[in-house]
Amino acid sequence: MHFDSRANFINVHAESSAVFAYVTFDSMAHFGLAQFAFPANFSHARFETSANFQGTRFDNADFQSAYFGDTAHFGATCFNSWANFTRAQFASYSIFKDARFASSVLFYSAVFDSTANFWSAKFDSLTSFREVRFASSAVFYGARFLDAVSFYKAELPRELDFRFVTHISEEIDLSFALLDSAAPKCQIALVGSNISKIKLDMRLFELWFPADTTWVRDALYKNTDTVESIDSITYDQRIGVYEQVLKKLKDDGFMESYKMLDIDYKRLKYDHMSEKWYLWPVATFLNIFQVIWWNYGYSPELVFLWTFGLWLVIFSPVNLWLYPRLSQELYVIDFLEKKRELYLGKGKARNYPYYGIHVITYTAIIFFGLKMDLDKFEEGAVKNHPALFSYLMLIYASGLFCLGFIVNIIFTR
């Protein structure tokens, strides 16, 4: 059956079952404020243009395998009994803003090719978004989940707005959702939500703090007259979200996810510090240092590599050139000086293997020594050789710095 022109069922009160199964609506279908006190069957119906069910009241509503070619407007719709949107396809905007699902609702294997708007929707009973495909964005801002909800194997959108979702009866597990193989991570907004009841896997998500009114207007209310204003997100709010999610990840034992988010969290702090021009050089240096030195503490093996690198690759090669002056004019290590004949062969020709060992040993004693022996300094060493003395102190200070990190790593593991 086809409706070639506009189908107008505004304010209709259906006094028996309504069957629109397999019906094609070629023009706008308007069921706004209609009341279906008995089951309404729209299974396999095709809405080629917009479908308006705003403010409609349903008993049982069956939209299984229905197709919506343009905007599907279910704003403020009340589903008093079960609602079935299994395998329904929404090719354009779908609006369920302020809708109420008083009983079970199935969106099993439904496809949302554009924004799915469940702003402030209320789900009183079991809700299934199992294996749903969200292609663009999904908005659950202020939604209320008063019973269990499943997102098992749901294909995540690029943007998922879960802000101010405070009413959560049972934990919402998003860790078994899926990403499109060609898509980056899903950006999820969580400001103001009950994060302790939202399970995440940061291999799938990254935290998102969307722009306010502009984003709301463009993404959600393109086809309505309502524009809601959201205050801008402050730095403290961002920090609060990060800390709550980190705690939740640790409680759930998702330590790899915890690591990924904690690195982002630390970057956020350095980025915020660098916004002040006079702190920018310090923040930039500290951030780069944290990355290359030990990956914000999550790659401690890098500290050992840097330690031995500074000793063997940086200071020891330099000391091959400076060792005679360092050992004789500045800082004398007696037992090494007594072995000078090992690296000075006949005719005072240098024995390079033994010389190299002496230089590496000399460097190690200073680099890994916990304190400098003042008795080993030649008289007037600092005054007569300030540059060499400063260089020697650089070796010593670098060693102490590395040893401090190594001790910390050992005792915190």
Side-chain angles (χ1 to χ4, degrees):
M1 181 177 176
H2 282 255
F3 281 87
D4 296 327
S5 58
R6 174 172 174 158
N8 191 346
F9 294 90
I10 300 175
N11 261 320
V12 165
H13 288 220
E15 298 180 356
S16 62
S17 298
V19 180
F20 292 89
Y22 293 93
V23 171
T24 298
F25 297 88
D26 292 319
S27 295
M28 180 179 180
H30 205 324
F31 289 84
L33 300 177
Q35 295 189 35
F36 295 92
F38 296 88
N41 185 356
F42 289 86
S43 65
H44 297 88
R46 291 185 64 88
F47 299 88
E48 301 293 346
T49 60
S50 59
N52 190 343
F53 290 88
Q54 188 173 13
T56 302
R57 299 178 66 86
F58 286 101
D59 184 41
N60 293 342
D62 188 357
F63 286 88
Q64 179 176 337
S65 298
Y67 171 79
F68 298 88
D70 204 335
T71 303
H73 204 321
F74 289 88
T77 300
C78 183
F79 298 89
N80 291 318
S81 189
W82 61 264
N84 183 13
F85 288 88
T86 298
R87 291 186 294 278
Q89 182 177 356
F90 299 88
S92 187
Y93 283 94
S94 52
I95 302 173
F96 290 86
K97 181 180 182 293
D98 294 319
R100 181 186 178 188
F101 299 91
S103 188
S104 300
V105 55
L106 297 176
F107 284 94
Y108 176 75
S109 291
V111 176
F112 294 90
D113 289 325
S114 186
T115 299
N117 175 11
F118 290 89
W119 186 296
S120 294
K122 184 181 179 184
F123 301 89
D124 290 340
S125 190
L126 296 172
T127 303
S128 176
F129 289 96
R130 184 185 178 103
E131 297 184 28
V132 165
R133 182 166 70 86
F134 295 107
S136 177
S137 59
V139 181
F140 291 90
Y141 184 108
R144 290 171 287 177
F145 297 95
L146 306 183
D147 206 330
V149 56
S150 173
F151 285 89
Y152 181 76
K153 288 189 175 181
E155 189 173 300
L156 295 167
R158 291 187 297 274
E159 298 168 347
L160 180 59
D161 190 345
F162 247 69
R163 288 175 292 173
F164 296 98
V165 180
T166 56
H167 294 79
I168 303 175
S169 175
E170 298 187 26
E171 184 178 67
I172 299 174
D173 191 346
L174 297 174
S175 65
F176 288 102
L178 304 173
L179 285 175
D180 187 322
S181 58
K185 291 183 179 181
C186 171
Q187 294 184 304
I188 186 168
L190 292 168
V191 169
S193 290
N194 185 358
I195 295 173
S196 66
K197 287 198 171 183
I198 303 174
K199 183 180 286 189
L200 301 172
D201 184 340
M202 299 315 294
R203 292 174 298 180
L204 304 174
F205 296 97
E206 62 181 23
L207 295 184
W208 173 47
F209 302 91
D212 46 14
T213 306
T214 300
W215 184 87
V216 174
R217 182 188 298 113
D218 291 346
L220 303 182
Y221 295 102
K222 182 178 180 181
N223 297 287
T224 72
D225 296 327
T226 305
V227 176
E228 302 231 1
S229 177
I230 306 170
D231 292 335
S232 298
I233 305 302
T234 66
Y235 171 71
D236 288 339
Q237 285 177 309
R238 292 181 184 229
I239 289 295
V241 171
Y242 271 95
E243 291 178 349
Q244 290 177 68
V245 176
L246 284 168
K247 181 181 184 304
K248 175 61 175 171
L249 292 171
K250 182 177 285 188
D251 291 344
D252 291 335
F254 289 0
M255 298 314 296
E256 184 61 28
S257 287
Y258 181 92
K259 167 186 170 181
M260 295 166 65
L261 188 64
D262 192 37
I263 290 174
D264 286 341
Y265 175 55
K266 290 172 179 174
R267 284 175 181 158
L268 173 65
K269 287 187 170 182
Y270 285 121
D271 288 343
H272 179 68
M273 185 189 303
S274 67
E275 291 176 1
K276 298 177 180 178
W277 66 268
Y278 55 89
L279 292 178
W280 178 84
V282 175
T284 302
F285 169 78
L286 290 175
N287 194 23
I288 294 173
F289 170 78
Q290 286 281 355
V291 173
I292 66 175
W293 182 253
W294 64 344
N295 191 28
Y296 298 97
Y298 286 102
S299 298
E301 66 278 2
L302 290 176
V303 175
F304 293 92
L305 291 175
W306 276 109
T307 298
F308 287 97
L310 287 171
W311 166 43
L312 287 174
V313 180
I314 304 297
F315 292 125
S316 291
V318 173
N319 289 349
L320 287 172
W321 173 52
L322 294 176
Y323 178 63
R325 294 188 63 193
L326 288 171
S327 64
Q328 296 175 43
E329 301 175 18
L330 189 67
Y331 192 74
V332 181
I333 299 177
D334 292 336
F335 84 91
L336 286 178
E337 287 303 298
K338 291 177 182 178
K339 301 294 183 180
R340 290 174 63 86
E341 67 275 7
L342 291 177
Y343 64 86
L344 292 177
K346 294 180 179 180
K348 302 300 182 181
R350 185 168 291 173
N351 187 325
Y352 284 102
Y354 282 110
Y355 178 72
I357 292 172
H358 269 68
V359 171
I360 291 172
T361 304
Y362 182 88
T363 307
I365 290 172
I366 297 171
F367 187 82
F368 293 105
L370 294 179
K371 72 174 185 175
M372 301 289 286
D373 189 344
L374 297 180
D375 293 336
K376 290 183 171 60
F377 282 99
E378 290 290 295
E379 185 177 350
V382 179
K383 179 180 178 181
N384 297 330
H385 307 285
L388 281 179
F389 177 78
S390 299
Y391 170 68
L392 197 71
M393 289 299 100
L394 175 63
I395 298 175
Y396 175 63
S398 299
L400 284 180
F401 182 78
C402 292
L403 289 174
F405 272 91
I406 290 173
V407 170
N408 178 66
I409 290 169
I410 293 172
F411 284 98
T412 56
R413 287 294 182 269

